[in-house]
Coordinates of all heavy atoms in Angstrom, one line a residue:
A1 N 14.5 -13.8 0.4 CA 15.0 -13.5 1.8 C 16.1 -14.5 2.2 O 16.2 -15.6 1.7 CB 13.8 -13.8 2.8
D2 N 17.0 -14.0 3.1 CA 18.1 -14.8 3.6 C 17.6 -15.6 4.8 O 18.0 -16.7 5.2 CB 19.2 -14.0 4.0 CG 19.8 -13.3 2.8 OD1 20.4 -14.0 1.9 OD2 19.7 -12.0 2.7
G3 N 16.6 -15.0 5.5 CA 16.0 -15.6 6.7 C 14.5 -15.2 6.8 O 14.1 -14.2 6.1
V4 N 13.7 -16.1 7.4 CA 12.3 -15.9 7.5 C 11.9 -16.2 9.0 O 12.3 -17.2 9.6 CB 11.5 -16.9 6.7 CG1 10.0 -16.6 6.7 CG2 12.0 -16.8 5.2
H5 N 11.1 -15.2 9.6 CA 10.6 -15.4 10.9 C 9.0 -15.3 10.9 O 8.5 -14.4 10.3 CB 11.1 -14.2 11.9 CG 10.5 -14.3 13.2 ND1 10.7 -15.4 14.1 CD2 9.7 -13.5 13.9 CE1 10.1 -15.2 15.2 NE2 9.4 -14.0 15.1
F6 N 8.4 -16.4 11.5 CA 7.0 -16.4 11.6 C 6.5 -16.0 13.0 O 6.9 -16.7 13.9 CB 6.5 -17.9 11.3 CG 6.8 -18.3 9.9 CD1 8.0 -19.0 9.6 CD2 5.9 -18.1 8.9 CE1 8.2 -19.4 8.2 CE2 6.1 -18.5 7.6 CZ 7.3 -19.1 7.3
R7 N 5.8 -15.0 13.1 CA 5.4 -14.4 14.4 C 4.2 -15.2 14.8 O 3.4 -15.8 14.1 CB 5.0 -12.9 14.2 CG 4.6 -12.2 15.4 CD 5.8 -11.5 16.0 NE 5.5 -10.8 17.1 CZ 5.4 -9.4 17.3 NH1 5.8 -8.7 16.3 NH2 5.2 -8.9 18.4
G8 N 3.9 -15.2 16.1 CA 2.8 -15.9 16.7 C 1.4 -15.2 16.5 O 1.3 -14.2 15.8
G9 N 0.4 -15.9 17.0 CA -0.9 -15.5 16.9 C -1.8 -16.6 16.7 O -1.7 -17.6 17.5
N10 N -2.7 -16.7 15.7 CA -3.6 -17.8 15.5 C -3.0 -18.8 14.6 O -2.8 -18.6 13.4 CB -4.9 -17.2 14.8 CG -6.0 -18.2 14.6 OD1 -5.8 -19.3 14.2 ND2 -7.2 -17.8 14.9
T11 N -2.7 -20.0 15.2 CA -2.1 -21.1 14.5 C -2.9 -21.6 13.3 O -2.4 -21.9 12.2 CB -1.7 -22.2 15.4 OG1 -1.0 -21.7 16.5 CG2 -0.9 -23.3 14.7
T12 N -4.2 -21.8 13.5 CA -5.1 -22.3 12.5 C -5.1 -21.4 11.3 O -5.0 -21.8 10.2 CB -6.5 -22.5 13.0 OG1 -6.5 -23.4 14.1 CG2 -7.4 -23.0 12.0
K13 N -5.1 -20.1 11.6 CA -5.1 -19.1 10.5 C -3.8 -19.1 9.7 O -3.7 -19.2 8.5 CB -5.3 -17.7 11.1 CG -5.3 -16.6 10.0 CD -5.5 -15.2 10.7 CE -5.3 -14.1 9.7 NZ -5.3 -12.7 10.4
L14 N -2.7 -19.2 10.5 CA -1.4 -19.3 9.8 C -1.2 -20.4 9.0 O -0.8 -20.4 7.8 CB -0.3 -19.2 10.9 CG 1.1 -19.3 10.4 CD1 1.5 -18.2 9.5 CD2 2.1 -19.4 11.6
L15 N -1.5 -21.7 9.5 CA -1.4 -22.9 8.7 C -2.3 -22.9 7.5 O -1.9 -23.3 6.4 CB -1.7 -24.1 9.6 CG -0.6 -24.5 10.6 CD1 -1.1 -25.5 11.6 CD2 0.7 -24.9 9.8
S16 N -3.5 -22.4 7.6 CA -4.4 -22.3 6.5 C -3.8 -21.4 5.4 O -3.8 -21.8 4.2 CB -5.7 -21.6 6.9 OG -6.5 -21.5 5.8
I17 N -3.1 -20.3 5.7 CA -2.5 -19.4 4.7 C -1.3 -20.1 4.1 O -1.1 -20.2 2.9 CB -2.2 -18.1 5.3 CG1 -3.4 -17.3 5.7 CG2 -1.3 -17.3 4.3 CD1 -3.2 -16.1 6.5
L18 N -0.4 -20.7 5.0 CA 0.8 -21.3 4.5 C 0.6 -22.5 3.6 O 1.3 -22.8 2.7 CB 1.7 -21.7 5.7 CG 2.2 -20.5 6.5 CD1 3.1 -21.0 7.7 CD2 2.9 -19.5 5.7
R19 N -0.5 -23.3 3.9 CA -0.8 -24.5 3.0 C -1.3 -24.1 1.7 O -1.4 -24.9 0.8 CB -1.8 -25.4 3.8 CG -1.1 -26.0 5.0 CD -2.0 -27.1 5.6 NE -1.2 -27.9 6.5 CZ -1.5 -28.0 7.8 NH1 -2.6 -27.3 8.3 NH2 -0.8 -28.6 8.6
G20 N -1.6 -22.8 1.5 CA -1.9 -22.3 0.1 C -0.8 -22.1 -0.8 O -0.9 -21.7 -2.0
Y21 N 0.4 -22.4 -0.3 CA 1.7 -22.2 -1.1 C 2.4 -23.6 -1.2 O 3.2 -23.9 -0.3 CB 2.6 -21.2 -0.5 CG 2.0 -19.8 -0.3 CD1 1.5 -19.5 0.9 CD2 1.9 -19.0 -1.3 CE1 0.9 -18.2 1.1 CE2 1.3 -17.7 -1.2 CZ 0.8 -17.4 0.1 OH 0.2 -16.2 0.2
P22 N 2.0 -24.4 -2.1 CA 2.5 -25.8 -2.2 C 4.0 -26.0 -2.3 O 4.6 -26.9 -1.7 CB 1.9 -26.4 -3.5 CG 0.8 -25.4 -3.9 CD 1.1 -24.1 -3.3
E23 N 4.7 -24.9 -2.8 CA 6.2 -25.1 -2.9 C 6.9 -24.5 -1.7 O 8.2 -24.5 -1.7 CB 6.6 -24.4 -4.2 CG 6.5 -22.9 -4.2 CD 5.1 -22.4 -4.6 OE1 4.1 -23.1 -4.6 OE2 5.0 -21.2 -5.0
L24 N 6.2 -24.0 -0.7 CA 6.8 -23.3 0.5 C 7.8 -24.1 1.2 O 8.9 -23.7 1.5 CB 5.7 -22.8 1.4 CG 6.2 -22.1 2.6 CD1 7.0 -20.8 2.3 CD2 5.0 -21.8 3.6
V25 N 7.5 -25.4 1.5 CA 8.5 -26.2 2.3 C 9.7 -26.4 1.6 O 10.8 -26.2 2.2 CB 7.7 -27.6 2.7 CG1 8.8 -28.5 3.3 CG2 6.6 -27.4 3.7
T26 N 9.7 -26.7 0.3 CA 10.9 -26.8 -0.5 C 11.7 -25.6 -0.5 O 13.0 -25.7 -0.3 CB 10.5 -27.2 -1.9 OG1 9.8 -28.4 -1.9 CG2 11.8 -27.5 -2.8
V27 N 11.1 -24.5 -0.7 CA 11.9 -23.1 -0.7 C 12.4 -22.8 0.7 O 13.5 -22.3 0.7 CB 11.0 -22.1 -1.3 CG1 11.7 -20.7 -1.3 CG2 10.6 -22.4 -2.7

């Protein structure tokens, strides 16, 4: 992707999923 947009909703759920991708912040 050239850009990424994270839509709202349940923050706890979103963070739990995103933390499952250790390289995400770097990418």
